[in-house]
Short mmCIF file of all heavy atoms in Angstrom, two decimals:
data_model
loop_
_atom_site.label_atom_id
_atom_site.label_comp_id
_atom_site.label_asym_id
_atom_site.label_seq_id
_atom_site.Cartn_x
_atom_site.Cartn_y
_atom_site.Cartn_z
N GLU A 130 7.81 -23.58 -30.84
CA GLU A 130 7.68 -22.96 -29.62
C GLU A 130 6.13 -22.74 -29.28
O GLU A 130 5.67 -22.95 -28.18
CB GLU A 130 8.33 -21.69 -29.51
CG GLU A 130 8.20 -20.84 -28.24
CD GLU A 130 8.86 -19.50 -28.26
OE1 GLU A 130 9.43 -19.09 -29.34
OE2 GLU A 130 8.76 -18.81 -27.30
N ARG A 133 4.47 -26.15 -28.32
CA ARG A 133 4.86 -26.49 -26.98
C ARG A 133 4.03 -25.73 -25.92
O ARG A 133 3.52 -26.37 -25.01
CB ARG A 133 6.32 -26.28 -26.69
CG ARG A 133 7.26 -27.20 -27.37
CD ARG A 133 8.71 -27.11 -26.92
NE ARG A 133 9.47 -28.11 -27.72
CZ ARG A 133 9.68 -29.38 -27.34
NH1 ARG A 133 9.08 -29.81 -26.28
NH2 ARG A 133 10.41 -30.17 -28.03
N LYS A 134 3.81 -24.44 -26.13
CA LYS A 134 2.94 -23.74 -25.26
C LYS A 134 1.55 -24.26 -25.19
O LYS A 134 0.94 -24.47 -24.18
CB LYS A 134 2.96 -22.29 -25.72
CG LYS A 134 4.16 -21.49 -25.43
CD LYS A 134 4.03 -20.05 -25.94
CE LYS A 134 5.29 -19.27 -25.79
NZ LYS A 134 5.15 -17.78 -26.31
N ASN A 137 1.63 -27.84 -23.41
CA ASN A 137 1.82 -27.74 -22.01
C ASN A 137 0.60 -27.14 -21.21
O ASN A 137 0.39 -27.42 -20.01
CB ASN A 137 3.08 -26.89 -21.74
CG ASN A 137 4.42 -27.70 -22.12
OD1 ASN A 137 4.29 -28.98 -22.20
ND2 ASN A 137 5.35 -27.03 -22.48
N SER A 171 -0.17 -25.49 -14.86
CA SER A 171 0.06 -26.25 -16.07
C SER A 171 1.53 -26.76 -16.09
O SER A 171 2.33 -26.42 -15.34
CB SER A 171 -0.23 -25.49 -17.32
OG SER A 171 0.67 -24.41 -17.42
N ARG A 172 1.84 -27.65 -17.08
CA ARG A 172 3.03 -28.35 -17.10
C ARG A 172 4.21 -27.30 -17.35
O ARG A 172 4.14 -26.49 -18.21
CB ARG A 172 3.00 -29.33 -18.22
CG ARG A 172 4.31 -30.09 -18.38
CD ARG A 172 4.14 -31.25 -19.46
NE ARG A 172 5.39 -31.94 -19.56
CZ ARG A 172 6.36 -31.73 -20.46
NH1 ARG A 172 6.14 -30.76 -21.30
NH2 ARG A 172 7.41 -32.49 -20.53
N THR A 173 5.30 -27.50 -16.63
CA THR A 173 6.56 -26.72 -16.87
C THR A 173 7.52 -27.57 -17.69
O THR A 173 7.57 -28.73 -17.59
CB THR A 173 7.26 -26.33 -15.49
OG1 THR A 173 6.39 -25.61 -14.71
CG2 THR A 173 8.56 -25.78 -15.66
N GLU A 174 8.17 -26.92 -18.59
CA GLU A 174 9.15 -27.69 -19.54
C GLU A 174 10.42 -26.83 -19.60
O GLU A 174 10.35 -25.68 -20.03
CB GLU A 174 8.53 -27.85 -20.89
CG GLU A 174 9.50 -28.68 -21.72
CD GLU A 174 8.82 -29.04 -23.09
OE1 GLU A 174 7.90 -28.26 -23.57
OE2 GLU A 174 9.20 -30.06 -23.73
N ASN A 175 11.49 -27.40 -19.14
CA ASN A 175 12.82 -26.70 -19.12
C ASN A 175 12.69 -25.40 -18.45
O ASN A 175 12.28 -25.37 -17.24
CB ASN A 175 13.34 -26.64 -20.57
CG ASN A 175 13.44 -27.98 -21.18
OD1 ASN A 175 13.94 -28.83 -20.56
ND2 ASN A 175 13.26 -28.01 -22.61
N LYS A 176 13.05 -24.31 -19.13
CA LYS A 176 13.03 -22.92 -18.50
C LYS A 176 11.71 -22.27 -18.65
O LYS A 176 11.49 -21.08 -18.22
CB LYS A 176 14.18 -22.12 -19.06
CG LYS A 176 15.58 -22.65 -18.79
CD LYS A 176 16.59 -21.76 -19.44
CE LYS A 176 17.96 -22.31 -19.21
NZ LYS A 176 19.10 -21.52 -19.88
N VAL A 177 10.69 -22.92 -19.38
CA VAL A 177 9.40 -22.29 -19.60
C VAL A 177 8.49 -22.69 -18.44
O VAL A 177 8.11 -23.89 -18.27
CB VAL A 177 8.82 -22.74 -20.95
CG1 VAL A 177 7.52 -22.10 -21.11
CG2 VAL A 177 9.82 -22.45 -22.02
N PRO A 178 8.09 -21.76 -17.54
CA PRO A 178 7.30 -22.13 -16.36
C PRO A 178 5.90 -22.45 -16.80
O PRO A 178 5.39 -21.94 -17.87
CB PRO A 178 7.37 -20.86 -15.56
CG PRO A 178 7.54 -19.69 -16.58
CD PRO A 178 8.39 -20.29 -17.67
N GLY A 179 5.29 -23.22 -15.83
CA GLY A 179 3.85 -23.44 -16.11
C GLY A 179 3.06 -22.25 -15.82
O GLY A 179 3.52 -21.21 -15.17
N LYS A 180 1.77 -22.23 -16.21
CA LYS A 180 0.89 -21.13 -16.01
C LYS A 180 -0.19 -21.44 -14.96
O LYS A 180 -0.53 -22.65 -14.76
CB LYS A 180 0.16 -20.70 -17.31
CG LYS A 180 1.08 -20.03 -18.29
CD LYS A 180 0.38 -19.64 -19.50
CE LYS A 180 1.20 -18.84 -20.51
NZ LYS A 180 1.19 -17.46 -19.99
N TYR A 283 15.96 -12.50 -18.09
CA TYR A 283 14.53 -12.64 -17.72
C TYR A 283 14.06 -11.24 -17.50
O TYR A 283 14.63 -10.33 -16.81
CB TYR A 283 14.40 -13.49 -16.49
CG TYR A 283 14.67 -14.93 -16.77
CD1 TYR A 283 15.95 -15.41 -16.55
CD2 TYR A 283 13.70 -15.82 -17.29
CE1 TYR A 283 16.29 -16.75 -16.72
CE2 TYR A 283 14.06 -17.19 -17.56
CZ TYR A 283 15.32 -17.56 -17.23
OH TYR A 283 15.64 -18.90 -17.44
N GLU A 295 5.62 -15.74 -14.13
CA GLU A 295 4.38 -16.62 -14.09
C GLU A 295 4.09 -17.02 -12.63
O GLU A 295 3.03 -17.37 -12.29
CB GLU A 295 4.54 -17.80 -15.00
CG GLU A 295 4.36 -17.46 -16.42
CD GLU A 295 3.05 -17.16 -17.00
OE1 GLU A 295 2.09 -17.19 -16.11
OE2 GLU A 295 2.85 -16.95 -18.19
#
Side-chain angles (χ1 to χ4, degrees):
E130 181 182 0
R133 287 187 181 277
K134 289 180 182 178
N137 289 334
S171 69
R172 181 176 180 266
T173 298
E174 185 175 24
N175 298 324
K176 296 177 183 178
V177 180
K180 288 178 172 286
Y283 294 94
E295 290 283 5

